[in-house]
Amino acid sequence: MNTINKPRRDAAPPGTSTPLPLHRLPSRRLLFVVLVGVVTGLVAFSLIQDILVYATATLAPSQKIWRLDVDVEQSVYTWFSASLILVNAAMLALIALEEGERPGGMHRRWMTLAAIFVLLSADEAIAFHEWLSQRLHEAYQTGGLFYFAWVIPGMAFCLALAVAYGPFLYRLPRRTRFWAVVAAVTFLSGALGLEMLGGRLAEQQGVDVLGYRLMATAEEALEGLGMVMFLYALLLFRDRV
């Protein structure tokens, strides 16, 4: 009888790591569709309320369900957004642990990203950037596109991160890299682009006008969709596609 131990067919090749059972959750496409649906539903309800208040005047501001408004801090959408960012942070940490077992896995880069996303989640929940924006605005009398002054250090941080992570991004699998870039562009188009345009409009007309409300709602929608896309990119990476 041959007693030589044969390798299991499902064993991972030497020098590679086996993804944790998280990949056995429902398919990434289903998760993507569900999360996009949640973002779309919350944004649509908030948008309908704003139209009823500011366009048709059939609803008084006091009659709005403010907990379902996407542009207030203590709302369902803020909780959902902070939770989604935290899920991305957890996924990044999981990838960092898995990549720590692979030669050249750059697990420190993944873990640094995880820490950044934890801070982003905390900021979404406690609105630190709004506090910072007010302080900078009062100190330097910013206006126009920089009326919400936090965008100035925000742009500097994003630029530094892009330079630091350029080579890292290039090494990712093609589909992962594509979705990560699309996610970043989508998120930053809202978080910085529409925030700057909204700041100029808020300075000129105030925040209680339909134009600003539409811009703020679009901003939150882009941020939420960007985070959903980034989660999809991370799931693609774990499957190496």
Side-chain angles (χ1 to χ4, degrees):
M1 182 177 186
N2 191 346
T3 59
I4 298 177
N5 293 326
K6 295 182 179 180
R8 292 176 53 189
R9 292 186 179 182
D10 60 349
T16 63
S17 61
T18 302
L20 297 179
L22 188 63
H23 71 292
R24 301 181 186 221
L25 288 173
S27 73
R28 56 178 178 266
R29 290 183 180 178
L30 175 60
L31 183 61
F32 178 83
V33 170
V34 170
L35 291 176
V36 168
V38 172
V39 172
T40 303
L42 291 172
V43 167
F45 188 88
S46 183
L47 179 61
I48 291 171
Q49 288 198 109
D50 283 334
I51 291 174
L52 292 176
V53 172
Y54 299 104
T56 68
T58 58
L59 189 71
S62 60
Q63 294 176 303
K64 284 184 65 174
I65 305 175
W66 287 99
R67 298 296 184 187
L68 293 178
D69 189 290
V70 300
D71 194 40
V72 297
E73 297 307 320
Q74 296 179 342
S75 68
V76 172
Y77 191 81
T78 299
W79 167 80
F80 171 78
S81 181
S83 300
L84 182 57
I85 298 172
L86 196 58
V87 168
N88 274 316
M91 184 65 70
L92 286 164
L94 176 62
I95 291 175
L97 293 175
E98 293 174 348
E99 292 299 292
E101 302 175 8
R102 294 170 53 88
M106 297 194 296
H107 65 281
R108 289 187 178 86
R109 291 296 185 97
W110 288 105
M111 193 59 76
T112 300
L113 276 179
I116 290 173
F117 271 68
V118 169
L119 294 178
L120 287 176
S121 176
D123 176 66
E124 185 71 12
I126 65 177
F128 172 77
H129 70 280
E130 293 193 354
W131 175 87
L132 176 63
S133 186
Q134 184 64 27
R135 297 299 179 274
L136 291 174
H137 174 72
E138 292 172 353
Y140 300 102
Q141 298 299 306
T142 57
L145 294 176
F146 303 113
Y147 181 71
F148 296 140
W150 77 267
V151 299
I152 300 173
M155 287 190 297
F157 175 78
C158 289
L159 179 60
L161 194 65
V163 171
Y165 272 83
F168 171 82
L169 184 65
Y170 181 77
R171 293 181 58 180
L172 296 177
R174 182 179 59 84
R175 288 185 63 194
T176 301
R177 181 171 63 247
F178 170 81
W179 279 98
V181 170
V182 172
V185 171
T186 301
F187 181 84
L188 293 177
S189 294
L192 290 177
L194 289 184
E195 179 84 347
M196 294 169 69
L197 294 175
R200 183 171 63 182
L201 187 60
E203 182 182 34
Q204 296 171 349
Q205 302 181 17
V207 298
D208 293 321
V209 295
L210 182 61
Y212 175 80
R213 298 296 303 171
L214 293 177
M215 197 166 294
T217 299
E219 173 196 334
E220 295 297 335
L222 288 175
E223 290 181 19
L225 291 174
M227 282 297 161
V228 173
M229 292 176 185
F230 189 68
L231 179 59
Y232 185 74
L234 296 180
L235 293 173
L236 284 173
F237 178 81
R238 294 192 78 245
D239 290 337
R240 298 298 189 273
V241 292

